[in-house]
């Protein structure tokens, strides 16, 4: 059905809610603790079993992913994830393939965790913001101490056990001006091959900019639009000349898919969103990771089946709003096909009573980036259409 959510959807599960053993200065999710005053912030056995049973029952696709996030999901302890896999084996239907991923700050990882990840084929996302001076600027613990050395140890443990790892690097005020130092650290020092760069944009003044404000009121760690665009451009230039086919950068892979007119696996660049939902520790389901708030609570899976909530009219409308509420400037933009307005949470406010409808805060940066890569992308599309491999493209 046109305008519907795709049959495959992603649920980002927060088994420990917003609880974390770090106190990163730019983390928006720590504040979600206020939604559950007096809560245990530990997923019960009832919710865990019900979630896995319902997820496997309502997904009619060849491969289903169990995705654990936080807060910090390792606070649940290793036995929790062993039990989750036992429920997978209990409810898995013939022919269903189930994969697992976990996003972590790495602080609690040890030999036992890494052995488990390797044995069970987990994809681990490790949060790291570049070399120590950039990482420790904001990724601190409750005592204000930097976490770089502990995260570096976690990386080395994961590598020693042969675990598949993606680096998730937040781009913020401390590292945005040093793109090549950040990229080369990941590529050369860590030998990392899968990278994600996520811009930090945190609205102040109650969470959204004041109407008519002349400058975007964002927090001090937030990136500015043009520097973020230049950050991506500088890394792209390094990547396109040296690393095509050997280093995978999510933003570049997504851009190439857009230029090839193929489905994009990154929700922020999709025309219609709403297929990446969030399950809190108590079974509450929300429309999106960035909309964990009462207005976007769809219901609780102990009361209403997961599939019914995911494919509800409310959630479909949430996804369609991204496309249908784009500002006029987006409708005539020459790189709309690659951006689609990016994430709605980064848009300035529109008319009263509506969701974010104004221009995306990061728009100037994304325009700079997409215009810069347009010619190389067209050439790559042409070469791919001729059957050339990434290695051949690199040599041209």
């Amino acid at each position: 059905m046109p305008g519907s959510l795709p049959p495959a959807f992603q649920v980002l599960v927060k088994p420990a809610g917003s609880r974390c053993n770090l106190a990163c200065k730019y983390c928006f999710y720590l504040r979600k603790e206020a939604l559950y005053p007096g809560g245990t912030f530990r997923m019960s056995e009832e919710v865990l079993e019900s979630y896995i049973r319902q997820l496997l029952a309502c997904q009619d696709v060849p491969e289903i992913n169990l995705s654990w996030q936080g807060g910090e999901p390792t606070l649940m302890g290793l036995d929790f994830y062993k039990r989750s896999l036992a429920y997978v084996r209990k409810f898995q239907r013939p022919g269903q393939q189930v994969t697992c991923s976990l996003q972590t700050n790495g602080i609690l990882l040890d030999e036992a965790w890494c052995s488990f990840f390797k044995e069970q084929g987990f994809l681990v996302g490790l949060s790291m913001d570049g070399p120590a001076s950039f990482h420790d600027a904001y990724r601190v613990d409750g005592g204000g101490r930097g976490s770089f050395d502990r995260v570096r140890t976690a990386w080395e443990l994961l590598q020693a056990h042969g675990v598949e790892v993606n680096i998730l690097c937040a781009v913020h005020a401390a590292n945005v001006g040093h793109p090549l130092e950040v990229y080369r650290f990941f590529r050369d020092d860590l030998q990392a091959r899968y990278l994600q760069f996520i811009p930090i944009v945190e609205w102040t003044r109650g969470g959204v900019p004041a109407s008519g404000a002349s400058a975007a009121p964002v927090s001090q760690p937030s990136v500015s639009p043009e520097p973020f665009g230049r950050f991506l451009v500088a890394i792209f230039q390094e990547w396109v000349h040296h690393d095509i086919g050997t280093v995978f950068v999510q933003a570049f892979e997504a851009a190439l898919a857009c230029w090839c007119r193929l489905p994009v696996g990154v929700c922020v660049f999709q025309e219609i969103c709403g297929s990446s939902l969030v399950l809190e520790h108590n079974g509450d389901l929300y429309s999106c990771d960035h909309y964990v708030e009462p207005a976007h609570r769809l219901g609780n899976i102990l009361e209403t089946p997961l599939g019914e909530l995911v494919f509800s009219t409310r959630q479909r409308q949430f996804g369609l709003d991204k496309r249908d509420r784009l500002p006029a400037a987006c409708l005539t933009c020459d790189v709309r096909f690659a951006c689609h307005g990016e994430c709605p949470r980064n848009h300035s406010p529109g008319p009263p009573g509506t969701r974010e409808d104004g221009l995306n805060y990061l728009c100037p940066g994304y325009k700079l980036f997409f215009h810069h890569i347009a010619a190389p992308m067209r050439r790559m599309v042409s070469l791919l259409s001729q059957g050339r491999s990434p290695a051949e493209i690199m040599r041209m």
Side-chain angles (χ1 to χ4, degrees):
M1 177 188 300
S4 297
L5 295 177
F9 58 88
Q10 182 78 19
V11 179
L12 309 179
V13 184
K14 315 274 189 175
S18 61
R19 290 290 169 88
C20 191
N21 48 2
L22 290 183
C24 301
K25 296 177 183 179
Y26 54 66
C27 182
F28 72 95
Y29 212 80
L30 292 174
R31 300 190 297 270
K32 303 304 178 181
E33 182 176 356
L35 293 172
Y36 299 101
T40 64
F41 296 94
R42 291 188 66 82
M43 181 170 282
S44 69
E45 206 69 15
E46 180 185 17
V47 173
L48 175 62
E49 180 177 7
S50 182
Y51 165 64
I52 293 177
R53 174 176 53 80
Q54 293 184 47
L55 179 73
L56 298 185
C58 69
Q59 286 265 45
D60 189 21
V61 292
E63 185 175 292
I64 299 168
N65 181 252
L66 292 180
S67 181
W68 308 99
Q69 295 197 356
E72 176 48 43
T74 59
L75 290 174
M76 293 299 296
L78 187 51
D79 284 346
F80 174 86
Y81 297 97
K82 291 178 178 178
R83 297 197 306 275
S84 75
L85 293 181
Y87 287 129
V88 168
R89 291 189 291 270
K90 178 179 178 180
F91 298 117
Q92 197 171 4
R93 290 178 287 161
Q96 277 187 328
Q97 298 296 315
V98 179
T99 60
C100 298
S101 59
L102 183 141
Q103 183 67 40
T104 179
N105 58 35
I107 301 300
L108 295 180
L109 298 190
D110 58 16
E111 297 282 347
W113 276 104
C114 295
S115 294
F116 172 77
F117 290 147
K118 177 60 177 177
E119 291 166 3
Q120 301 301 329
F122 268 62
L123 168 62
V124 174
L126 185 66
S127 297
M128 198 177 203
D129 293 353
S133 60
F134 305 142
H135 179 95
D136 286 344
Y138 301 119
R139 295 195 65 81
V140 298
D141 60 22
R145 296 174 301 170
S147 59
F148 176 83
D149 290 340
R150 288 170 282 178
V151 180
R152 178 72 184 254
T153 298
W155 167 264
E156 291 169 353
L157 272 172
L158 290 162
Q159 292 301 291
H161 284 80
V163 178
E164 186 178 356
V165 186
N166 288 356
I167 292 289
L168 190 156
C169 174
V171 185
H172 44 63
N175 62 11
V176 71
H178 306 272
L180 294 184
E181 188 174 348
V182 170
Y183 180 70
R184 289 169 181 168
F185 167 75
F186 290 137
R187 183 193 63 190
D188 301 333
D189 291 22
L190 295 191
Q191 298 289 302
R193 291 297 175 260
Y194 297 89
L195 307 175
Q196 298 179 45
F197 295 106
I198 309 298
I200 295 298
V201 178
E202 289 301 312
W203 299 114
T204 57
R205 302 184 189 176
V208 295
S211 179
S214 58
V218 295
S219 65
Q220 187 277 330
S222 297
V223 293
S224 296
E226 289 86 352
F228 176 62
R230 291 193 291 270
F231 178 94
L232 292 178
V233 165
I235 293 176
F236 179 83
Q237 284 299 104
E238 179 85 354
W239 175 82
V240 81
H241 286 110
H242 303 288
D243 302 319
I244 294 176
T246 60
V247 178
F248 300 88
V249 180
Q250 185 188 58
F252 306 160
E253 301 293 322
L256 182 56
C258 290
W259 258 268
C260 290
R261 300 304 195 265
L262 296 173
V264 181
V266 183
C267 66
V268 297
F269 297 131
Q270 293 171 350
E271 182 179 26
I272 296 171
C273 63
S275 60
S276 295
L277 302 93
V278 163
L279 186 72
E280 261 288 349
H281 65 288
N282 70 334
D284 284 348
L285 190 72
Y286 292 87
S287 291
C288 170
D289 191 33
H290 291 286
Y291 288 91
V292 176
E293 53 196 31
H296 294 288
R297 178 184 176 274
L298 298 169
N300 189 290
I301 65 168
L302 297 182
E303 300 166 356
T304 308
L306 175 67
E308 185 176 325
L309 296 174
V310 170
F311 294 102
S312 65
T313 301
R314 280 183 64 196
Q315 185 63 7
R316 281 200 179 93
Q317 190 58 56
F318 175 86
L320 290 169
D321 281 349
K322 178 180 179 180
R323 180 194 66 190
D324 296 343
R325 291 182 174 176
L326 286 177
C330 288
L331 299 180
T332 58
C333 179
D334 60 340
V335 291
R336 176 188 172 190
F337 72 95
C339 175
H340 293 296
E342 206 246 358
C343 183
R345 73 171 293 274
N346 291 333
H347 287 218
S348 58
T354 65
R355 201 155 63 85
E356 290 84 346
D357 295 310
L359 198 62
N360 192 303
Y361 167 75
L362 293 170
C363 177
Y366 276 119
K367 274 192 172 181
L368 188 158
F369 169 62
F370 286 127
H371 285 153
H372 179 87
I373 69 173
M377 284 292 165
R378 286 193 295 267
R379 179 162 174 75
M380 278 191 271
V381 170
S382 175
L383 292 170
L384 289 170
S385 69
Q386 298 170 29
R388 304 294 182 89
S389 69
E392 289 178 302
I393 294 174
M394 280 189 66
R395 292 195 292 267
M396 295 181 176

